[in-house]
Amino acid sequence: MQQEEIGLQHYFEVLWRRRWVIAAVFTIVMSLCTIGILLSKTTYKVHSLVAVKNQIYYRAPIMSFSEGTETPATTLTGEDYIPVINGLPFAEKVADYLLMAGMPLDALEVGAAIKGEFQQPALILIHASSTVPDKAVAIANAA
């Protein structure tokens, strides 16, 4: 049995016969990519690095029923601030500050845009994201 040799010209003939299928697949893929790009929204992300200092304080006595302390106590550490920053009460305070600055935002929107992350013992990285660049910067600065 002798096998028939298939040349390069045979492949070009097959491609030429199927040119409409190739063009249709190419057009569909490019159309879907274009629609996906047009429907997607750009998200702007801003990062703020905040230094936190532990403060030592003495609690003074209040009236006769609350004794004071003679030994110093510390305030929140850097790790303790993360749940505070990621919580809704903090987002409400940031939204109130932004309202006074002339940028009314909902507290839930601010809460969804802010994320705090512990970096070092005295540093906190705050991420703020929004589809509007000025809004992302304002949220990060207000936080």
Side-chain angles (χ1 to χ4, degrees), residues 52-54 74-82 118 120-122 124:
V52 178
K53 180 181 178 186
N54 290 338
T74 58
T75 59
L76 297 173
T77 63
E79 290 176 325
D80 296 331
Y81 282 102
I82 300 304
F118 179 70
Q120 294 176 9
I124 296 175

Side-chain angles (χ1 to χ4, degrees), residues 45-52 77-87 90 113-128 143:
K45 296 180 181 181
V46 180
H47 307 287
S48 298
L49 195 58
V50 179
V52 178
T77 63
E79 290 176 325
D80 296 331
Y81 282 102
I82 300 304
V84 173
I85 291 171
N86 292 335
F90 182 78
I114 295 177
K115 180 181 178 293
E117 182 180 313
F118 179 70
Q119 287 291 313
Q120 294 176 9
L123 293 176
I124 296 175
L125 183 64
I126 297 177
H127 305 279

Side-chain angles (χ1 to χ4, degrees), residues 5 13 24 32-33 50 61 67 70 85 90 95-96 104 109 112 117 135:
E5 199 173 299
E13 288 173 4
L32 290 175
C33 289
V50 179
E67 296 181 16
E70 294 183 10
I85 291 171
F90 182 78
D96 291 342
E109 181 182 356
E117 182 180 313
K135 193 184 291 185

Side-chain angles (χ1 to χ4, degrees), residues 7-125:
L8 191 58
Q9 185 173 355
H10 177 69
Y11 288 116
F12 284 129
E13 288 173 4
V14 171
L15 288 174
W16 185 253
R17 283 190 307 234
R18 305 278 187 223
R19 68 184 177 270
W20 296 114
V21 173
I22 295 169
V25 169
F26 177 78
T27 304
I28 290 171
V29 169
M30 290 304 290
S31 299
L32 290 175
C33 289
T34 304
I35 290 170
I37 289 172
L38 292 175
L39 291 179
S40 69
K41 293 183 179 180
T42 303
T43 302
Y44 298 94
K45 296 180 181 181
V46 180
H47 307 287
S48 298
L49 195 58
V50 179
V52 178
K53 180 181 178 186
N54 290 338
Q55 298 177 354
I56 297 177
Y57 68 94
Y58 292 91
R59 189 173 60 215
I62 303 174
M63 302 220 185
S64 61
F65 57 84
S66 175
E67 296 181 16
T69 59
E70 294 183 10
T71 59
T74 58
T75 59
L76 297 173
T77 63
E79 290 176 325
D80 296 331
Y81 282 102
I82 300 304
V84 173
I85 291 171
N86 292 335
L88 186 59
F90 182 78
E92 290 172 348
K93 296 284 185 189
V94 172
D96 291 342
Y97 176 81
L98 290 172
L99 180 63
M100 289 189 306
M103 185 177 284
L105 291 175
D106 184 40
L108 293 175
E109 181 182 356
V110 173
I114 295 177
K115 180 181 178 293
E117 182 180 313
F118 179 70
Q119 287 291 313
Q120 294 176 9
L123 293 176
I124 296 175
L125 183 64

Side-chain angles (χ1 to χ4, degrees), residues 125-138:
L125 183 64
I126 297 177
H127 305 279
S129 59
S130 177
T131 56
V132 180
D134 293 337
K135 193 184 291 185
V137 171

